[in-house]
Amino acid sequence: MYFDSHAHYDSRQFDRDREELLAALPARGVECVIDPGCDGETSRLALDIAERHGYIYAAVGWHPQEWESWTEGSLDEIRALAAHPRAVAIGEIGLDYYWDKEHKELQEHMLRAQLELALELDKPVIIHDRDAHADCMAITLGYPALRGVYHCFSGSAQMARQLLEAGWYLGFDGPVTYKNARRNLEALAATPLERILIETDSPYLTPEPLRGQRNDSAKLEYVVRKIAEVKGMEPEAVARATAENARRLFNI
């Protein structure tokens, strides 16, 4: 049974068949899912989905790409949403210099405000880090009491070791199955099983051999197989251990 620690079922790509898909996933081997919001609206949608499906939980937060909608009231909005009993983390939050290098200061302000909120509320965080490794690490490691996961980890093996030493979990998903995955696989090899979370980032990052299709949590089997191959383990043992890791981090 798989624990998908990051899937966006609030995405519009699931509007046509969301309820049918989510009703079917447990029978396809999915025992638990975390749906992270990216702003106020999607955080509320994630909570609504979690209310309707007992195996789904939500995270609430403001993604760096959503900087245009961030206001003085956004942090209070996230604080209120985080009080919901199905909200288990603050996320998806972080830095993204791939899409936007013009608003680094605002992105950093958003990230720091939400990290401090997570510490205030004693909740783990889900970190988005795209093309911003140095800044993201400098900020997050500056809060040693934080706990959380670097979602869709894309850094080097050396960066992985630094984060692991500081107590972080690392999330691995479809890219570990891609042909150009050398860097991802090096980081995966450096990460002990007890600190790995598995993810889909649905509807994105569909693993090989299904790239081009919409992703969903049942496709975790391909990620699990690759991790098992790298670690020299049976896929069932990887699925079981990563589910235990996620339950421990998110207190489920």
Side-chain angles (χ1 to χ4, degrees), residues 37-39 61-67 92-94 96 110 114 128:
C38 292
D39 57 14
W62 228 276
H63 192 287
Q65 286 178 241
E66 303 301 325
W67 58 267
E92 177 178 356
I93 63 176
D96 192 317
M110 293 165 59
Q114 293 179 94
H128 172 102

Side-chain angles (χ1 to χ4, degrees), residues 83-132:
H84 193 289
R86 305 293 291 181
V88 296
I90 302 299
E92 177 178 356
I93 63 176
L95 299 175
D96 192 317
Y97 297 166
Y98 179 84
W99 293 109
D100 176 59
K101 296 182 178 69
E102 307 270 322
H103 300 87
K104 291 183 178 181
E105 288 187 10
L106 177 55
Q107 287 191 37
E108 179 176 337
H109 166 73
M110 293 165 59
L111 175 57
R112 287 188 181 276
Q114 293 179 94
L115 294 178
E116 289 165 12
L117 177 63
L119 287 171
E120 173 192 329
L121 301 178
D122 192 27
K123 288 188 181 291
V125 294
I126 298 171
I127 297 294
H128 172 102
D129 167 23
R130 190 169 187 189
D131 288 3

Side-chain angles (χ1 to χ4, degrees), residues 194-207:
E194 62 268 21
R195 303 291 280 285
I196 292 174
L197 300 189
I198 55 173
E199 316 172 328
T200 57
D201 202 21
S202 297
Y204 315 109
L205 300 181
T206 308

Side-chain angles (χ1 to χ4, degrees), residues 1 12 30 40 69 74 77 124 199 201 216:
M1 297 289 282
R12 292 178 181 175
V30 179
S69 62
S74 296
E77 185 174 358
E199 316 172 328
D201 202 21
D216 66 67

